[in-house]
Amino acid sequence: MTERNSNPAEDQAPGGAADGQFDPLMVAERWMLDGRKVAVATVIETWGSAPRPVGSHLVIDADGNFEGSVSGGCVEGAVIAEAAEVITGGAAKMLEFGVADETAWRVGLSCGGKIQVYLERIG
Amino acid sequence: MDLNLLKALNAARRDRQAAILVTALEGGKSWLVMKGDAVEGELGEAIGKAFSTGRSGVVEAGGERLFLNVHLPSPRMVIIGAVHISQALAPMAAMTGFDVRVIDPRTAFATEDRFSGVDLVADWPEDALRDRPIDAFTALVAVTHDPKIDDWPLISALKARAFYVGALGSRKTHARRVERLMQAGLSTDEINRIAAPIGLDIGAQSPQEIAVAVLAQAIAALRQRPDPAGG
């Protein structure tokens, strides 16, 4: 006898149910099909100690909802803020984040690394 | 990136095909290259290297700065034994990105109630793995300690060079297992690849703690293997 439980998520991603649910690129596709406007941020280079490896994604919609990460939560806020402009304007942007400068109130990476993030609109 | 490209990329990932998304950093044009596609020149070389190392990164090719994002198939975990440890291990492994299947011919163990939302097959491993044989991208976790159930998938995983092979059992149980596997024609080198006693030594006691120890050991094997593209 063979008994199989099919996974409830129809759009199952590689990596099983949890991955399909939280996988940023799968989420971006779902959001687009729901008619939402979406931007994708991708870590394209890292220097020193960086929390997320090259290729990591954060996806953002026009209302500021997001899924995924490009750092350990240090610079996501700034990327989300930039995404609004990319979604409206359409032109892709290159963002760079370095060490946090607390006196200048600038966002940055407390771990001391540097990352470059490519932010583009889908569509 | 347009929506059709995103759909094509996600489809390749769902189908477990290795793919690279190439993005021209000036101009923003992007396209998909599947493993095996012929690409000429500097870019072709860079793509070949990216597939073999599994590393994403920026390359210069044909006077352009290009970002290559490498998407390799996600690792699988095949768990033999629908036991207490597996009830904790299956969802944790799925959460960390493994594509998990639990197999146990004992229908008292392999019930939907005990494994809700998990790909569960109540059949012998030989039959349950017919549609997806163990490959180099698979972690095999054998936890029934019943030779009738565990031995076939263990042999199959060692022969297929699965990146992780772990088997539950005391030292005595494992010593008997080693004898059986030698009789089945496996070499000492192959048999030594079995993680036994299974799991990192963190003093785990409860089934859930053992699941953490096993998952950590499988992740270590995955991330520290020499060739991420599977040879």
Side-chain angles (χ1 to χ4, degrees), chain A residues 16-92:
Chain A
D19 197 30
Q21 199 180 345
F22 300 118
D23 179 291
L25 295 181
M26 299 288 176
V27 169
E29 184 179 333
R30 273 203 301 276
W31 282 356
M32 288 295 291
L33 296 176
D34 287 346
R36 290 153 82 169
K37 293 191 165 73
V38 182
V40 178
T42 309
V43 177
I44 65 157
E45 279 194 88
T46 66
W47 295 265
S49 86
R52 296 282 288 128
V54 169
S56 303
H57 293 293
L58 170 71
V59 301
I60 309 108
D61 78 357
D63 296 326
N65 296 302
F66 66 95
E67 199 64 64
S69 62
V70 291
S71 74
C74 318
V75 304
E76 273 75 4
V79 176
I80 292 161
E82 294 280 350
E85 205 182 304
V86 168
I87 288 173
T88 344

Side-chain angles (χ1 to χ4, degrees), chain B:
Chain B
M1 163 159 60
D2 73 17
L3 177 57
N4 285 334
L5 183 59
L6 176 64
K7 281 183 178 171
L9 171 60
N10 281 340
R13 295 169 67 224
R14 279 190 200 98
D15 294 347
R16 297 180 64 78
Q17 295 186 42
I20 292 180
L21 182 73
V22 184
T23 304
L25 294 175
E26 290 92 34
K29 199 172 146 258
S30 48
W31 65 98
L32 201 57
V33 177
M34 306 300 296
K35 189 164 188 184
D37 285 359
V39 182
E40 290 184 358
E42 275 181 307
L43 179 58
E45 245 173 68
I47 280 178
K49 197 175 155 205
F51 271 127
S52 70
T53 61
R55 280 220 182 96
S56 302
V58 176
V59 299
E60 300 267 349
E64 268 191 302
R65 275 187 87 222
L66 303 166
F67 176 62
L68 309 185
N69 206 352
V70 186
H71 297 271
L72 296 179
S74 60
R76 284 177 165 158
M77 182 178 282
V78 170
I79 304 172
I80 307 297
V83 299
H84 201 169
I85 293 169
S86 316
Q87 286 177 288
L89 180 56
M92 289 196 312
M95 198 174 284
T96 48
F98 285 92
D99 184 350
V100 179
R101 174 173 289 180
V102 177
I103 296 168
D104 198 324
R106 301 168 300 180
T107 48
F109 286 87
T111 69
E112 195 174 338
D113 275 356
R114 287 162 46 80
F115 288 88
S116 155
V118 172
D119 177 8
L120 175 72
V121 186
D123 208 341
W124 290 90
E126 295 90 311
D127 296 317
L129 288 168
R130 207 157 272 161
D131 65 327
R132 47 181 269 182
I134 293 171
D135 59 17
F137 294 106
T138 305
L140 188 275
V141 177
V143 287
T144 72
H145 8 42
D146 181 341
K148 286 197 303 300
I149 306 173
D150 281 351
D151 281 7
W152 185 89
L154 281 172
I155 292 167
S156 172
L158 292 173
K159 286 190 174 153
R161 312 255 351 131
F163 72 86
Y164 175 76
V165 183
L168 187 73
S170 65
R171 280 166 219 283
K172 222 165 138 190
T173 307
H174 187 62
R176 283 197 297 267
R177 178 185 292 135
V178 168
E179 273 173 33
R180 289 193 308 274
L181 296 183
M182 302 249 299
Q183 274 165 17
L186 290 175
S187 70
T188 315
D189 280 355
E190 285 174 316
I191 294 169
N192 285 344
R193 290 192 56 235
I194 301 176
I198 198 169
L200 292 185
D201 184 6
I202 56 171
Q205 291 197 348
S206 71
Q208 295 80 3
E209 289 170 0
I210 294 167
V212 170
V214 172
L215 182 57
Q217 197 172 42
I219 292 171
L222 172 71
R223 294 302 178 194
Q224 293 163 1
R225 72 193 150 152
D227 179 7

